Coordinates of all heavy atoms in Angstrom, one line a residue:
Q1545 N 173.0 91.3 104.0 CA 174.0 90.4 104.6 C 174.5 91.0 105.9 O 174.9 92.1 105.9 CB 175.1 90.1 103.7 CG 174.7 89.4 102.4 CD 174.1 88.0 102.6 OE1 174.6 87.3 103.5 NE2 173.0 87.7 101.9
P1546 N 174.6 90.2 107.0 CA 175.3 90.7 108.2 C 176.8 90.9 107.9 O 177.4 90.1 107.2 CB 175.1 89.6 109.2 CG 174.9 88.3 108.4 CD 174.2 88.8 107.1
V1547 N 177.3 92.0 108.4 CA 178.8 92.2 108.3 C 179.3 92.7 109.6 O 178.6 93.3 110.4 CB 179.1 93.3 107.2 CG1 178.7 92.7 105.8 CG2 178.4 94.6 107.4
G1548 N 180.6 92.5 109.8 CA 181.3 93.1 111.0 C 180.9 92.3 112.3 O 180.5 91.1 112.2
D1549 N 181.0 93.0 113.4 CA 180.7 92.4 114.7 C 179.2 92.6 115.0 O 178.6 93.6 114.9 CB 181.5 93.1 115.8 CG 183.0 92.8 115.7 OD1 183.3 91.8 115.0 OD2 183.7 93.6 116.2
W1550 N 178.6 91.5 115.5 CA 177.2 91.5 116.0 C 177.3 91.1 117.5 O 177.8 90.1 117.9 CB 176.4 90.4 115.3 CG 175.9 90.9 114.0 CD1 176.7 91.2 112.9 CD2 174.6 91.3 113.6 NE1 175.9 91.7 111.9 CE2 174.6 91.8 112.3 CE3 173.4 91.3 114.3 CZ2 173.5 92.2 111.7 CZ3 172.2 91.8 113.7 CH2 172.3 92.2 112.4
M1551 N 176.8 92.0 118.4 CA 176.9 91.9 119.8 C 175.5 91.5 120.4 O 174.5 92.1 120.0 CB 177.4 93.1 120.4 CG 178.7 93.7 119.8 SD 180.0 92.6 120.0 CE 181.3 93.8 120.4
E1552 N 175.5 90.6 121.4 CA 174.3 90.3 122.1 C 174.5 90.6 123.6 O 175.6 90.3 124.1 CB 173.9 88.9 121.9 CG 173.5 88.6 120.5 CD 172.9 87.2 120.3 OE1 172.3 86.7 121.3 OE2 173.0 86.6 119.2
Y1553 N 173.5 91.2 124.2 CA 173.6 91.6 125.6 C 172.5 90.9 126.5 O 171.4 90.6 126.0 CB 173.4 93.1 125.7 CG 174.5 93.8 124.9 CD1 174.3 94.2 123.6 CD2 175.7 94.1 125.5 CE1 175.2 94.8 122.9 CE2 176.7 94.8 124.8 CZ 176.5 95.1 123.5 OH 177.4 95.8 122.7
G1554 N 172.9 90.6 127.7 CA 172.0 89.9 128.6 C 171.0 90.9 129.3 O 171.1 92.1 129.0
Q1555 N 170.1 90.4 130.1 CA 169.1 91.2 130.8 C 169.7 92.3 131.6 O 169.1 93.3 131.8 CB 168.2 90.3 131.7 CG 167.3 89.4 130.9 CD 166.1 90.1 130.3 OE1 165.8 91.2 130.7 NE2 165.4 89.4 129.4
Q1556 N 170.9 92.1 132.1 CA 171.5 93.2 133.0 C 172.4 94.1 132.2 O 172.9 95.1 132.7 CB 172.4 92.5 134.1 CG 171.7 91.5 134.9 CD 170.4 92.0 135.5 OE1 170.4 93.1 136.1 NE2 169.3 91.3 135.4
G1557 N 172.4 94.0 130.8 CA 173.1 94.9 130.0 C 174.6 94.5 129.6 O 175.2 95.2 128.9
G1558 N 175.1 93.4 130.2 CA 176.4 92.9 129.9 C 176.5 92.1 128.6 O 175.6 91.4 128.2
L1559 N 177.6 92.1 128.0 CA 177.9 91.4 126.7 C 177.8 89.9 127.0 O 178.4 89.4 128.0 CB 179.3 91.7 126.2 CG 179.7 91.1 124.8 CD1 178.7 91.6 123.7 CD2 181.1 91.4 124.5
T1560 N 177.0 89.1 126.2 CA 176.9 87.7 126.4 C 177.5 86.9 125.2 O 178.0 85.8 125.4 CB 175.5 87.2 126.6 OG1 174.7 87.6 125.4 CG2 174.9 87.8 127.8
S1561 N 177.5 87.5 124.0 CA 178.1 86.8 122.9 C 178.4 87.8 121.8 O 177.9 88.9 121.7 CB 177.2 85.7 122.3 OG 176.1 86.2 121.7
C1562 N 179.3 87.4 120.9 CA 179.7 88.3 119.8 C 180.0 87.3 118.6 O 180.6 86.3 118.7 CB 181.0 89.0 120.1 SG 181.6 90.0 118.7
S1563 N 179.4 87.7 117.4 CA 179.7 87.0 116.2 C 180.4 87.9 115.2 O 180.1 89.1 115.2 CB 178.4 86.5 115.6 OG 177.8 85.5 116.4
E1564 N 181.3 87.4 114.5 CA 182.0 88.2 113.5 C 181.7 87.7 112.1 O 181.7 86.5 111.8 CB 183.5 88.1 113.7 CG 184.0 88.7 115.0 CD 185.5 88.6 115.2 OE1 186.3 88.4 114.2 OE2 185.9 88.7 116.3
Y1565 N 181.4 88.6 111.2 CA 181.0 88.3 109.8 C 182.0 89.0 108.8 O 182.4 90.2 109.1 CB 179.6 88.8 109.5 CG 178.5 88.0 110.2 CD1 178.2 88.4 111.5 CD2 177.9 86.9 109.7 CE1 177.2 87.6 112.2 CE2 177.0 86.1 110.4 CZ 176.6 86.5 111.7 OH 175.7 85.8 112.3
S1566 N 182.2 88.4 107.7 CA 183.0 89.0 106.7 C 182.3 90.1 105.9 O 181.1 90.3 106.1 CB 183.5 88.0 105.7 OG 182.4 87.6 104.9
D1567 N 182.9 90.8 105.1 CA 182.3 91.9 104.3 C 181.3 91.3 103.3 O 180.4 92.0 102.8 CB 183.3 92.7 103.5 CG 184.1 93.6 104.4 OD1 183.6 93.9 105.5 OD2 185.2 94.1 104.0
S1568 N 181.3 90.0 103.0 CA 180.4 89.4 102.1 C 179.2 88.7 102.9 O 178.4 88.0 102.3 CB 181.1 88.4 101.2 OG 181.7 87.3 102.0
G1569 N 179.2 88.8 104.2 CA 178.2 88.2 105.0 C 178.4 86.8 105.5 O 177.6 86.1 106.1
E1570 N 179.7 86.3 105.3 CA 180.0 84.9 105.8 C 180.3 85.0 107.3 O 181.1 85.8 107.7 CB 181.2 84.4 105.0 CG 181.6 83.0 105.4 CD 182.8 82.6 104.5 OE1 182.9 82.8 103.3 OE2 183.7 81.9 105.1
R1571 N 179.7 84.1 108.0 CA 180.0 84.0 109.5 C 181.5 83.5 109.6 O 181.8 82.4 109.1 CB 179.1 83.2 110.2 CG 179.3 83.2 111.7 CD 178.3 82.3 112.4 NE 177.6 83.1 113.4 CZ 176.6 82.7 114.2 NH1 176.2 81.4 114.1 NH2 176.1 83.4 115.0
L1572 N 182.3 84.2 110.4 CA 183.7 83.8 110.6 C 183.8 83.1 112.0 O 184.5 82.1 112.0 CB 184.6 85.0 110.6 CG 184.5 85.8 109.3 CD1 185.3 87.1 109.4 CD2 185.0 85.0 108.1
C1573 N 183.3 83.7 113.0 CA 183.4 83.0 114.3 C 182.4 83.6 115.3 O 181.7 84.6 115.0 CB 184.8 83.2 114.9 SG 185.3 85.0 115.2
M1574 N 182.3 82.9 116.4 CA 181.4 83.3 117.5 C 182.0 83.1 118.8 O 182.6 82.0 119.1 CB 180.0 82.6 117.4 CG 179.0 83.1 118.4 SD 177.5 82.1 118.4 CE 177.3 81.8 120.1
Y1575 N 181.9 84.1 119.7 CA 182.4 84.0 121.1 C 181.1 84.0 122.0 O 180.3 84.9 121.9 CB 183.2 85.2 121.4 CG 184.4 85.4 120.5 CD1 184.3 86.1 119.4 CD2 185.7 84.8 120.9 CE1 185.4 86.3 118.6 CE2 186.8 85.0 120.0 CZ 186.6 85.7 118.9 OH 187.7 85.9 118.1
D1576 N 181.0 83.0 122.9 CA 179.9 82.9 123.8 C 180.4 82.9 125.2 O 181.2 82.0 125.5 CB 179.1 81.7 123.5 CG 177.8 81.5 124.3 OD1 177.3 82.5 124.8 OD2 177.3 80.3 124.3
Y1577 N 180.1 83.9 126.0 CA 180.7 84.1 127.3 C 180.0 83.4 128.4 O 178.8 83.1 128.3 CB 180.8 85.6 127.7 CG 181.8 86.3 126.7 CD1 181.2 86.9 125.6 CD2 183.1 86.2 126.8 CE1 182.1 87.5 124.6 CE2 184.0 86.8 125.9 CZ 183.4 87.5 124.8 OH 184.3 88.1 123.9
V1578 N 180.7 83.0 129.5 CA 180.1 82.3 130.6 C 179.0 83.1 131.3 O 177.9 82.5 131.6 CB 181.2 82.0 131.7 CG1 180.7 81.5 133.0 CG2 182.3 81.1 131.1
A1579 N 179.1 84.3 131.4 CA 178.1 85.2 132.0 C 178.3 86.6 131.4 O 179.3 86.9 130.8 CB 178.3 85.2 133.5
E1580 N 177.3 87.5 131.7 CA 177.4 88.8 131.2 C 178.7 89.5 131.6 O 179.1 89.4 132.8 CB 176.2 89.6 131.7 CG 174.9 89.2 131.1 CD 173.8 90.1 131.5 OE1 173.9 91.3 131.6 OE2 172.7 89.5 131.8
D1581 N 179.4 90.1 130.7 CA 180.7 90.8 130.9 C 181.8 89.9 131.5 O 182.7 90.5 132.1 CB 180.4 92.1 131.7 CG 179.9 93.2 130.9 OD1 180.1 93.2 129.6 OD2 179.3 94.1 131.4
S1582 N 181.7 88.6 131.4 CA 182.7 87.7 131.9 C 183.9 87.8 130.9 O 183.7 87.8 129.7 CB 182.2 86.3 132.0 OG 183.3 85.4 132.2
P1583 N 185.1 87.7 131.5 CA 186.3 87.6 130.6 C 186.5 86.2 130.0 O 187.3 86.0 129.1 CB 187.4 88.1 131.5 CG 187.0 87.6 132.8 CD 185.5 87.8 132.9
H1584 N 185.7 85.3 130.6 CA 185.9 83.9 130.2 C 184.9 83.4 129.2 O 183.7 83.7 129.3 CB 185.8 83.0 131.5 CG 186.9 83.3 132.5 ND1 188.2 83.1 132.2 CD2 186.7 83.7 133.7 CE1 188.9 83.5 133.3 NE2 188.0 83.9 134.2
L1585 N 185.3 82.7 128.2 CA 184.4 82.1 127.2 C 183.8 80.8 127.7 O 184.4 80.1 128.5 CB 185.2 81.7 125.9 CG 185.7 82.9 125.1 CD1 186.6 82.3 123.9 CD2 184.6 83.7 124.5
R1586 N 182.5 80.6 127.3 CA 181.8 79.4 127.5 C 182.1 78.5 126.3 O 182.3 77.3 126.4 CB 180.3 79.6 127.7 CG 179.5 78.3 128.0 CD 178.1 78.6 128.3 NE 177.4 79.1 127.1 CZ 176.8 78.2 126.2 NH1 176.8 76.9 126.4 NH2 176.1 78.7 125.2
R1587 N 182.0 79.1 125.1 CA 182.2 78.4 123.9 C 182.7 79.3 122.8 O 182.4 80.5 122.8 CB 180.8 77.9 123.4 CG 180.9 77.1 122.1 CD 179.6 76.4 121.8 NE 178.5 77.3 121.6 CZ 177.3 77.1 121.0 NH1 177.1 75.9 120.5 NH2 176.4 77.9 121.0
Y1588 N 183.5 78.8 121.9 CA 184.1 79.5 120.8 C 183.8 78.6 119.5 O 184.0 77.4 119.6 CB 185.6 79.7 120.9 CG 186.2 80.2 119.6 CD1 186.1 81.5 119.2 CD2 187.0 79.3 118.8 CE1 186.7 81.9 118.1 CE2 187.6 79.7 117.7 CZ 187.4 81.1 117.3 OH 188.0 81.5 116.1
M1589 N 183.3 79.2 118.5 CA 183.1 78.5 117.2 C 183.8 79.2 116.1 O 183.7 80.4 116.0 CB 181.6 78.4 116.9 CG 180.8 77.5 118.0 SD 179.1 77.3 117.6 CE 178.5 79.0 117.9
L1590 N 184.4 78.4 115.2 CA 185.1 78.9 114.0 C 184.4 78.4 112.8 O 184.1 77.2 112.8 CB 186.6 78.5 114.0 CG 187.4 79.0 112.9 CD1 187.6 80.5 112.9 CD2 188.8 78.3 112.9
F1591 N 184.2 79.2 111.8 CA 183.4 78.8 110.6 C 184.2 79.0 109.4 O 185.1 79.9 109.3 CB 182.1 79.7 110.5 CG 181.2 79.5 111.6 CD1 181.3 80.2 112.8 CD2 180.1 78.6 111.5 CE1 180.4 80.1 113.8 CE2 179.2 78.4 112.5 CZ 179.4 79.2 113.7
A1592 N 184.0 78.2 108.4 CA 184.5 78.4 107.0 C 183.4 78.1 106.0 O 182.7 77.1 106.2 CB 185.7 77.4 106.8

Side-chain angles (χ1 to χ4, degrees):
Q1545 298 295 320
V1547 295
D1549 293 340
W1550 281 70
M1551 312 295 226
E1552 292 190 30
Y1553 300 92
Q1555 290 281 348
Q1556 304 307 313
L1559 183 65
T1560 58
S1561 69
C1562 175
S1563 293
E1564 296 178 21
Y1565 293 86
S1566 71
D1567 286 343
S1568 63
E1570 181 179 321
R1571 185 180 237 180
L1572 302 173
C1573 61
M1574 184 185 133
Y1575 304 89
D1576 185 18
Y1577 296 95
V1578 170
E1580 292 185 40
D1581 280 337
S1582 169
H1584 300 297
L1585 289 175
R1586 181 177 73 89
R1587 179 171 61 161
Y1588 169 76
M1589 294 182 288
L1590 180 66
F1591 297 85

